[in-house]
Amino acid sequence: RFLTTNAEARTNNEITVLGCNYLRDAWTNVSLNIISKLGRNLHVTQYHPLSHIRQQIVNYFYKQFYNRIGNSIFSVHDNISPIVTTAQQFDSLLIPEDHPSRKKTDCYYINQNTLLRAHTTAHQADLISMGLNNFLIIGDVYRKDEIDRVHYPVFHQADGVRLCTVQEVFSNTKDPDGLRLFEHRGVESSEKQGCHTLESVKIMEHELKNTLIGLAQTLFGKDIRCKWVEQYFPFTHPSWELEVYYKDQWLELLGCGIIRQEILQSAGAGERIGWAFGLGLERLAMCLYNIPDIRLFWSKDSGFLNQFKFEDPNTMVQYKPISIYPQCKNDVSFWLPEDGSYSPNDFYDIIQDVANHRVEQVILKDVYTHPVTKRVSHCYTIVYRHMERTLIKREVNKVHDRIKQHVTECLHVTVR
Ligand code: FA5
Ligand code: MG
């Protein structure tokens, strides 16, 4: 369906995404391969491992935060379209005009003002504006990125937001009179934003960290080792990352922080203070189920899917590889264009598009600068391996040639 409507739309300089037509412009860089992933909705597909993880996260928040008659105060939004405006993705989150995350080499743009969200945080301000105070956003996100066993241009995130009034923040305080959320003429420090009182931030920080440690323990078990690392996000301050020690290494699980008050003010919730976090579902699922390659989530093979066919999302299983197919490596070297327009992310995107699940990893093997002309050349090793069948050399060579042809045409490189 996508292919035909796209072909039709392309003739009149339009592009069809999720049934809507958009005008192409110089920013358009979303490929058919990426568009084909929209609407798969793995995170709400019954028995899919990402759906089990989603359900565990949702259940945890339902259980942690409830009102006086026992109903959950968190609402869950897992069905919001991934097509967003640059105002939602960037401006609403105070991401500066010149921030690198806005670049064409990092995001999939439909056109100058429209793109595929690169994080579920893109909907935060909208939901706050609608009057919500406690909510989760779960969905697919899209980023141009490197290619290896843990990176894929589409993955899934869950964001959480909680906003509190002064009464809620100090509800457990013995003598809350005189305690405030805000102070005038305060200064920003590593501990807080200028407008917040230190006591309100510390209480929110405590609740945020406890909530997220509790989530990590729910998923990984009570004994999981956790550590907090200071971080920077334009939309929170202070900000942290939570890392967990799993199978002999520290793994970044999520980013979080105290929401910038300017965001709450613009969204009509300026009298509250809030915390927020965002985490990746694939990372969690790969650890919990011992899934070795991020491409497996897109598999339609029953050998993969049947291993997760259980009703209780808390069921612990360890994935057993169906079989290992051989790798096949091919190198490619090319001179970069002299105008500096080359970005490896664009190359990786072309590979994803042309090779469609046949590539496991791309390694930048060598960078060479010609001593006289100063031209720069990159040499990459492309590791071919399909997850569901053996690739024969002839097929790999054909794909490899197509990749060379596409990079020459699209990125203006000269293959050596
Ligand atoms: C964000 O996307 C922020 N929006 C998170 C946030 C939300 C911070 C709200 C503060 C408040 P980051 O780019 O680090 O941050 O991604 C968040 C999480 O997504 C990571 O911790 C990781 O679990 C996951 N993640 C990021 N990139 C990838 C990737 N390429 N593949 C798989 N998972 C990823
Ligand atoms: Mg990060």
Side-chain angles (χ1 to χ4, degrees):
R1 189 176 67 95
F2 283 120
L3 287 171
T4 41
T5 48
N6 257 294
E8 285 161 18
R10 188 176 283 183
T11 55
N12 35 17
N13 202 33
E14 285 181 0
I15 180 168
T16 307
V17 189
L18 283 179
C20 288
N21 286 352
Y22 298 85
L23 272 182
R24 289 170 174 276
D25 62 24
W27 282 76
T28 309
N29 67 354
V30 56
S31 60
L32 283 184
N33 177 44
I34 293 296
I35 292 175
S36 74
K37 302 290 186 289
L38 276 90
R40 272 292 289 279
N41 290 325
L42 300 179
H43 62 293
V44 288
T45 299
Q46 192 183 26
Y47 302 132
H48 195 277
L50 295 176
S51 179
H52 290 313
I53 301 283
R54 170 190 58 82
Q55 195 65 59
Q56 286 194 64
I57 295 170
V58 168
N59 288 349
Y60 172 76
F61 276 87
Y62 280 172
K63 208 170 77 205
Q64 285 297 304
F65 297 94
Y66 47 85
N67 64 15
R68 96 198 119 69
I69 56 165
N71 286 334
S72 166
I73 57 174
F74 267 78
S75 58
V76 177
H77 309 267
D78 56 18
N79 193 21
I80 306 178
S81 166
I83 302 168
V84 298
T85 61
T86 47
Q88 292 173 299
Q89 164 78 26
F90 303 114
D91 305 338
S92 79
L93 293 167
L94 313 175
I95 296 173
E97 212 51 68
D98 58 355
H99 197 270
S101 66
R102 292 191 185 237
K103 284 193 311 206
K104 265 172 78 174
T105 52
D106 285 49
C107 295
Y108 288 105
Y109 280 90
I110 294 175
N111 59 37
Q112 187 175 6
N113 305 313
T114 321
L115 72 162
L116 304 180
R117 67 186 166 210
H119 55 184
T120 37
T121 321
H123 306 289
Q124 174 178 295
D126 287 344
L127 294 181
I128 295 171
S129 297
M130 289 166 63
L132 299 179
N133 296 315
N134 302 280
F135 57 86
L136 298 172
I137 311 162
I138 305 162
D140 38 337
V141 300
Y142 299 78
R143 294 185 189 178
K144 286 197 181 184
D145 217 328
E146 49 202 292
I147 301 179
D148 61 25
R149 287 192 299 113
V150 295
H151 288 89
Y152 194 72
V154 193
F155 62 101
H156 295 76
Q157 284 189 330
D159 265 54
V161 167
R162 170 159 166 80
L163 310 182
C164 295
T165 60
V166 63
Q167 290 82 12
E168 287 169 328
V169 171
F170 297 113
S171 62
N172 292 323
T173 312
K174 275 225 183 65
D175 184 18
D177 293 348
L179 290 174
R180 314 227 176 292
L181 297 183
F182 305 108
E183 65 182 22
H184 296 293
R185 286 192 287 278
V187 279
E188 180 153 324
S189 70
S190 63
E191 288 186 302
K192 68 176 204 71
Q193 297 168 40
C195 60
H196 291 147
T197 62
L198 189 57
E199 54 273 23
S200 66
V201 172
K202 285 293 171 191
I203 290 176
M204 290 299 280
E205 174 181 340
H206 185 73
E207 184 186 78
L208 170 64
K209 287 182 170 176
N210 272 344
T211 302
L212 295 174
I213 298 261
L215 177 64
Q217 289 175 342
T218 302
L219 294 165
F220 290 96
K222 274 269 169 276
D223 297 325
I224 187 76
R225 274 170 71 197
C226 295
K227 93 176 167 200
W228 293 102
V229 181
E230 290 206 11
Q231 237 310 351
Y232 171 83
F233 298 106
F235 32 93
T236 50
H237 183 76
S239 310
W240 304 273
E241 266 171 8
L242 176 59
E243 296 189 357
V244 297
Y245 197 73
Y246 195 73
K247 294 197 174 147
D248 302 323
Q249 58 177 344
W250 287 102
L251 170 86
E252 177 198 321
L253 205 60
L254 58 86
C256 66
I258 305 297
I259 300 174
R260 280 274 173 202
Q261 202 60 30
E262 221 179 309
I263 296 174
L264 299 188
Q265 248 142 24
S266 306
E271 76 296 348
R272 289 170 187 255
I273 186 171
W275 54 246
F277 71 88
L279 60 76
L281 300 186
E282 274 80 352
R283 278 220 190 139
L284 280 173
M286 288 177 81
C287 285
L288 288 173
Y289 302 130
N290 209 13
I291 294 174
D293 191 309
I294 194 164
R295 290 175 298 167
L296 279 163
F297 293 108
W298 299 89
S299 173
K300 292 174 178 168
D301 189 306
S302 61
F304 175 77
L305 292 171
N306 281 343
Q307 297 192 33
F308 301 95
K309 223 166 205 170
F310 43 77
E311 303 298 329
D312 179 0
N314 301 315
T315 307
M316 283 306 294
V317 295
Q318 293 292 290
Y319 170 71
K320 290 178 212 63
I322 318 153
S323 84
I324 295 294
Y325 299 96
Q327 289 182 334
C328 180
K329 295 181 187 178
N330 267 3
D331 285 0
V332 56
S333 305
F334 45 72
W335 295 107
L336 308 190
E338 282 165 278
D339 60 5
S341 63
Y342 177 81
S343 156
N345 278 358
D346 290 331
F347 178 46
Y348 303 149
D349 187 37
I350 286 174
I351 295 176
Q352 294 282 14
D353 202 18
V354 174
N356 187 27
H357 280 202
R358 295 188 194 86
V359 169
E360 181 177 78
Q361 191 176 7
V362 181
I363 305 155
L364 176 55
K365 206 165 75 170
D366 188 37
V367 177
Y368 169 74
T369 307
H370 191 283
V372 180
T373 65
K374 301 293 175 217
R375 285 186 83 184
V376 179
S377 138
H378 280 187
C379 176
Y380 296 88
T381 300
I382 303 181
V383 183
Y384 293 87
R385 170 154 52 190
H386 205 287
M387 283 176 307
E388 286 152 9
R389 59 189 173 84
T390 299
L391 289 175
I392 54 166
K393 190 76 191 162
R394 191 149 33 96
E395 179 180 354
V396 168
N397 287 344
K398 247 167 100 182
V399 173
H400 198 70
D401 286 343
R402 281 231 302 284
I403 289 173
K404 285 189 198 164
Q405 185 196 333
H406 277 248
V407 286
T408 306
E409 281 166 17
C410 304
L411 303 183
H412 313 296
V413 304
T414 312
V415 174
R416 296 176 66 179

